């Protein structure tokens, strides 16, 4: 292998590959060769744009993206198309496909990266983030760069990953092509402006070093459907069933939608984007508190609609963000509220962002609003993503979702989650505007003989229903192991009958359960705003992982793929810690070694997470 050219393959990867291949027979090697060729073709087909060949660093523009839910990927794809139109040769790469050793030679780099929950990089950019912020990164005096951060200003660590990378690249001696861009849920407008500035500056600078080389055309892959995020498909509702007991404290729905005639296709692991409407009862509460007439026509950004429709269909009204807090403080002259935005008050701000909805602040801090100012202070309504809970091989032109309905009392009034309330209310004659959001990092192994381990508490179990259906339909021979947890066995065992059937028919090989509120647990010192106790004595899936550690480690050592889906804030972090413990204990490794072993699995795509 050492005699062959190995484009974009670093020494470590090459060594690992050589080690793995050495143990194979000739027949197995031929199989690997054919399989790799098919994978490469598949990867090229599923890429939003065909990646241009590398070219010389001095002339080349590299666009990297780190994306958890697909937004950064979409924006980076649009950026690559703009660069092409501007005559700039570009190559577009997901951050984990970027050979880090090339950074030292890179001259022009545009980076689009999101920030997850509590200030984490997306999984596909974890390696790059650690490399750039770590000690081994070279100085980069010849690099010209620009960073666009994506985030959600409902979270305290808004865009922090992008901001850190922007600062770090400058610290390493690189020159900014344009200022750090910060996109909230209104991504497209900010991204377009940022791209325009960065590309204009880049063109200017390239003029000074001579005419640009011929641009390598990037061909958009023709979409098989005319429906997209911007043009969603109105999917008829086929079923909407409560799948928890009548007396369960939470409402969880199994929703079935028809995709017939849409041309939309999905793979297990993908998400369904849903464009919701806000609960009408909440919109009426807003109008009452604001003392505004919902029927009055209001013009905003060139569109005129009744205020009720603006609030119901066009603006985020359930998620609080900094911009709204600032506008409310200014509108009502509330200094105390304005102070909340000062850096020294960030713990208090984080608590407000986590516990309150805008309606709570509107009630607490009265102000006189002009409708136009109100709309300007609110973010546009964004679609919500749900992991698809079905395999098209099993359900044909349908798509199934598992939806936890967010509906609770706080501060003396009813509160809802926008999309879950919308889906819960969708009746069987209704339609839901949807699109497919591919998730290339959350895929079943192409080799059906591999074992898989799935960890999905709560509605995090959704994609694993799709995985098990798919593996059953495709006759995959690998074993399937599910760890599921929820509050009570009696009322909250989602898809209980299906799992029992799957155990019987051999499409599920192991099922480990953790019901957190069936066992006695002590009163927690802390309850969150919805009354959920955070208690260290509860039985969670990670306890089952530890109990089954020896066998779990055996599966992993044997090449099993590992998947986690669900809550990112607590569960994914705690499950990760449990996995480190299991690997350390049963693999005789130090915690640091176990951590990097797991990190490697993440890099290789053998440990994949769908958490938000
Ligand atoms: P949930 O009720 O919040 O939690 C499910 C179970 O997990 C409960 O037994 C809960 O126990 C337990 N749990 C709480 N903290 C935990 C921790 N640190 N580690 C392990 N288990 C823990 O679940 P849900 O409301 O269904 O929400 C699941 C999450 O998945 C949401 O954050 C959602 O955004 C996310 N998600 C959903 C989908 C989807 O398509 N539906 C896809 C991706 C992600 P206690 O409540 O008793 O503490």
């Amino acid at each position: 292998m050492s005699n062959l050219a190995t484009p974009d393959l670093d020494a470590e990867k090459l060594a690992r590959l050589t080690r793995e291949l050495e143990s194979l027979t000739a027949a197995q090697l031929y199989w690997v060769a054919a399989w790799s060729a098919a994978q490469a073709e598949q990867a090229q087909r599923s890429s939003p744009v065909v990646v241009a060949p590398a070219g010389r660093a001095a002339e080349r523009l590299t666009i990297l993206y780190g994306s958890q839910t697909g937004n950064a990927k979409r924006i980076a794809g649009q950026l690559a198309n703009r660069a092409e139109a501007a005559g700039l040769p570009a190559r577009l790469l997901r951050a984990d496909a970027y050979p880090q050793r090339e950074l030292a030679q890179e001259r022009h780099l545009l980076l689009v990266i999101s920030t997850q929950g509590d200030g984490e990089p997306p999984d596909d950019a974890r390696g790059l983030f650690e490399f750039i912020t770590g000690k081994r990164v070279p100085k980069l005096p010849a690099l010209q760069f620009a960073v666009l951060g994506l985030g959600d200003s409902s979270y305290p660590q808004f865009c922090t990953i992008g901001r850190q990378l922007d600062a770090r690249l400058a610290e390493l001696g690189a020159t900014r092509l344009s200022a750090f861009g910060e996109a909230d849920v209104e991504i497209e407008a900010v991204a377009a402006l940022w791209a325009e500035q960065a590309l204009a500056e880049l063109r200017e600078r390239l003029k000074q070093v001579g005419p640009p080389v011929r641009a390598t055309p990037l061909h958009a892959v023709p979409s098989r459907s005319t429906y997209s995020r911007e043009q969603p498909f109105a999917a008829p509702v086929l079923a909407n069933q409560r799948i928890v007991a009548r007396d369960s404290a939470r409402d969880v729905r199994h929703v079935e939608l028809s995709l017939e005639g849409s041309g939309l296709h999905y793979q297990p692991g993908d998400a369904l984007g849903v464009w919701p409407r806000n609960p009408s009862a909440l919109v009426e509460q807003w109008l009452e508190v604001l003392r505004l007439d919902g029927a009055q026509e209001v013009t905003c950004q060139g569109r005129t609609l009744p205020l009720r429709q603006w609030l119901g269909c066009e603006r985020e009204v359930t998620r609080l963000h900094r911009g709204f807090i600032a506008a409310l403080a200014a509108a009502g002259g509330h200094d105390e509220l304005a102070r909340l935005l000062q850096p020294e008050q960030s713990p208090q701000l984080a608590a407000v962002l986590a516990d309150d909805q805008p309606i709570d602040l509107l009630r607490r801090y009265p102000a006189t609003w002009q409708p136009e100012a109100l709309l300007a202070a609110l973010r546009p309504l964004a679609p919500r993503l749900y992991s698809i809970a079905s395999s098209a091989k099993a359900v044909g032109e349908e798509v199934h979702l598992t939806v936890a309905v967010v509906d609770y009392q706080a501060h003396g009034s009813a509160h809802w989650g926008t999309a879950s309330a919308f889906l819960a209310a969708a009746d069987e004659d209704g339609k839901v505007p949807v699109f497919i959001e591919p998730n290339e990092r959350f895929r079943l192994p192409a080799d059906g003989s591999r074992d898989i381990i799935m960890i999905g508490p709560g509605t995090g179990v959704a994609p694993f229903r799709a995985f098990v259906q798919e593996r059953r339909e495709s006759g995959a021979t690998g074993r399937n192991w599910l760890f599921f947890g929820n509050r009570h066995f009696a009322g909250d065992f989602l898809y209980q009958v299906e799992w029992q059937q799957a155990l019987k028919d051999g499409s599920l090989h192991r099922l480990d359960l953790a019901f957190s509120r069936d066992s006695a647990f002590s009163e927690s010192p802390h309850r969150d705003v919805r009354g959920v106790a955070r208690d260290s004595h509860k039985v969670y899936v990670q306890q089952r992982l530890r109990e089954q550690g020896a066998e779990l480690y055996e599966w992993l050592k044997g090449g099993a793929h590992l998947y986690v889906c669900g809550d990112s804030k607590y569960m994914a972090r705690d499950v990760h810690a449990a996995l480190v413990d299991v690997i350390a204990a049963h693999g005789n490794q130090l915690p640091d070694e176990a951590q990097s072993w797991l990190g490697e699995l993440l890099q290789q795509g053998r440990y994949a997470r769908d958490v938000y």
Side-chain angles (χ1 to χ4, degrees):
M1 184 184 283
S2 55
N3 296 333
L4 297 175
T6 52
D8 295 352
L9 203 57
D10 62 34
E12 195 194 327
K13 265 197 193 139
L14 190 58
R16 215 167 42 224
L17 197 56
T18 311
R19 265 200 314 275
E20 295 288 336
L21 293 180
E22 269 168 5
S23 63
L24 300 186
T25 62
Q28 287 168 331
L29 284 169
Y30 278 122
W31 182 87
V32 170
W35 180 82
S36 307
Q39 286 293 104
E41 241 178 60
Q42 167 83 18
Q44 240 187 2
R45 268 204 304 273
S46 60
S47 170
V49 285
V50 175
V51 175
R56 282 193 294 129
E59 301 150 347
R60 178 181 74 202
L61 165 63
T62 296
I63 300 174
L64 299 182
Y65 65 86
S67 191
Q68 194 79 25
T69 59
N71 283 324
K73 178 182 161 204
R74 185 180 73 255
I75 297 296
Q78 290 167 2
L79 179 61
N81 288 331
R82 284 179 91 110
E84 179 202 355
L88 295 166
R91 61 170 179 161
L92 172 65
L93 290 169
R94 197 169 72 189
D96 58 358
Y98 179 65
Q100 290 168 3
R101 66 189 151 78
E102 286 189 14
L103 188 63
Q105 281 81 49
E106 210 64 73
R107 294 294 173 267
H108 313 111
L109 177 70
L110 299 181
L111 184 54
V112 182
I113 189 161
S114 62
T115 295
Q116 302 314 303
D118 276 348
E120 295 276 307
D123 280 343
D124 59 7
R126 209 165 268 274
L128 184 72
F129 179 78
E130 281 164 12
F131 177 65
I132 293 180
T133 53
K135 288 191 188 130
R136 292 182 187 193
V137 67
K139 292 272 178 252
L140 301 168
L143 178 70
Q144 304 186 22
F145 76 99
V147 180
L148 175 66
L150 269 54
D152 180 339
S153 61
S154 305
Y155 290 91
Q157 300 296 328
F158 174 55
C159 283
T160 184
I161 294 299
R163 200 173 308 108
Q164 285 178 50
L165 287 176
D166 176 78
R168 178 67 170 150
L169 289 171
E171 189 186 60
L172 294 167
T175 313
R176 282 191 187 86
L177 286 162
S178 65
F180 173 58
E182 209 173 61
D184 200 349
V185 291
E186 204 171 3
I187 309 168
E188 259 73 11
V190 175
L193 193 67
W194 173 87
E196 195 180 300
Q197 285 169 355
L199 292 175
E201 185 59 32
L202 182 59
R203 245 195 342 205
E204 241 353 88
R205 294 191 191 190
L206 283 175
K207 260 192 218 155
Q208 293 159 19
V209 293
V213 294
R214 187 179 57 81
T216 309
L218 297 164
H219 305 290
V221 171
S223 161
R224 282 179 288 172
S225 173
T226 48
Y227 298 104
S228 62
R229 184 180 195 271
E230 290 68 35
Q231 253 197 304
F233 172 66
V237 179
L238 301 172
N240 181 351
Q241 295 153 354
R242 186 179 163 105
I243 51 167
V244 286
R246 209 170 300 143
D247 59 354
S248 174
R250 308 269 315 275
D251 183 3
V252 176
R253 298 300 176 104
H254 173 73
V255 177
E256 298 185 354
L257 304 172
S258 169
L259 294 179
E260 200 181 329
S262 67
L264 287 172
H265 296 282
Y266 63 88
Q267 293 187 47
D270 286 346
L272 191 76
V274 172
W275 282 101
R277 279 194 306 276
N278 288 308
S280 47
L282 180 60
V283 172
E284 294 312 313
Q285 284 184 18
W286 273 64
L287 293 170
E288 192 191 318
V289 170
L290 295 165
R291 279 182 256 111
L292 290 172
D293 175 9
Q296 70 178 301
E297 301 269 316
V298 185
T299 302
C300 183
Q301 292 167 328
R303 293 168 66 210
T304 303
L305 298 170
L307 181 57
R308 181 172 281 109
Q309 194 176 337
W310 276 114
L311 295 177
C313 307
E314 305 288 334
R315 287 292 182 270
E316 288 288 346
V317 299
T318 56
R319 290 176 172 177
L320 195 54
H321 75 292
R322 289 152 196 264
F324 179 75
I325 296 176
L328 177 58
H334 299 292
D335 295 343
E336 177 201 345
L337 196 56
R339 272 198 299 280
L340 203 56
L341 297 167
Q342 302 296 319
E344 63 278 10
Q345 294 240 9
S346 59
Q348 289 88 335
L349 175 65
V352 169
L353 290 173
D355 292 349
D356 291 327
Q357 288 199 350
I359 186 77
D360 301 317
L361 294 200
L362 287 175
R363 287 204 176 100
R364 218 172 293 154
Y365 298 98
T368 304
W369 286 95
Q370 292 307 314
E372 291 77 7
L374 177 71
L375 295 183
L378 296 172
R379 299 178 298 173
L381 189 57
R384 309 295 198 262
L385 299 181
Y386 287 90
S387 310
I388 292 175
S390 55
S391 152
K393 284 199 176 78
V395 303
E397 283 186 291
E398 291 181 12
V399 63
H400 300 180
L401 304 179
T402 316
V403 181
V405 183
V406 178
D407 178 350
Y408 60 97
Q409 289 287 325
H411 313 300
S413 71
H415 287 61
W416 297 273
T418 292
S420 64
F422 172 67
L423 286 167
D427 57 40
E428 292 183 17
D429 302 323
K431 289 186 176 179
V432 175
V434 301
F435 60 94
I436 303 293
E437 186 66 53
N439 186 356
E440 282 148 27
R441 278 187 65 85
F442 206 76
R443 287 276 180 263
L444 279 167
D447 172 5
S449 69
R450 288 280 181 130
D451 295 335
I452 61 170
I453 301 164
M454 303 165 278
I455 304 164
T459 57
V461 79
F464 303 137
R465 183 176 182 265
F467 277 18
V468 170
Q469 285 183 352
E470 176 85 8
R471 300 252 291 183
R472 181 195 293 128
E473 295 299 317
S474 59
T477 53
R479 294 170 298 172
N480 305 330
W481 186 351
L482 174 66
F483 288 86
F484 172 71
N486 222 345
R487 295 180 181 185
H488 298 288
F489 172 83
D492 305 311
F493 191 169
L494 307 182
Y495 302 114
Q496 177 181 5
V497 175
E498 291 189 25
W499 299 128
Q500 281 163 346
Q501 183 56 42
L503 282 170
K504 246 195 233 159
D505 70 23
S507 51
L508 186 63
H509 302 81
R510 292 209 49 171
L511 175 63
D512 280 85
L513 301 165
F515 290 99
S516 55
R517 303 192 191 186
D518 280 346
S519 47
F521 59 89
S522 63
E523 272 309 300
S524 164
H526 170 70
R527 282 180 180 271
D528 69 17
V529 71
R530 293 166 208 185
V532 174
R534 300 258 156 242
D535 191 294
S536 56
H537 305 296
K538 285 185 183 179
V539 180
Y540 286 155
V541 282
Q542 50 272 31
Q543 182 172 329
R544 300 292 178 240
L545 296 173
R546 290 194 169 94
E547 287 164 3
Q548 305 298 328
E551 192 164 0
L552 191 72
Y553 182 69
E554 279 309 306
W555 279 49
L556 287 174
K557 236 179 55 189
H561 284 225
L562 180 60
Y563 303 90
V564 180
C565 179
D567 163 64
S568 63
K569 206 168 172 197
Y570 303 106
M571 186 279 294
R573 190 196 53 197
D574 297 347
V575 162
H576 185 89
L579 290 168
V580 170
D581 291 349
V582 163
I583 292 163
H586 299 279
N588 273 331
Q589 296 183 22
L590 294 170
D592 276 359
E593 292 169 335
Q595 185 75 261
S596 51
W597 198 72
L598 211 46
E600 241 176 70
L601 292 192
L602 200 71
Q603 287 276 0
Q604 294 163 12
R606 254 184 68 198
Y607 171 26
R609 297 190 288 193
D610 175 12
V611 295
Y612 45 83

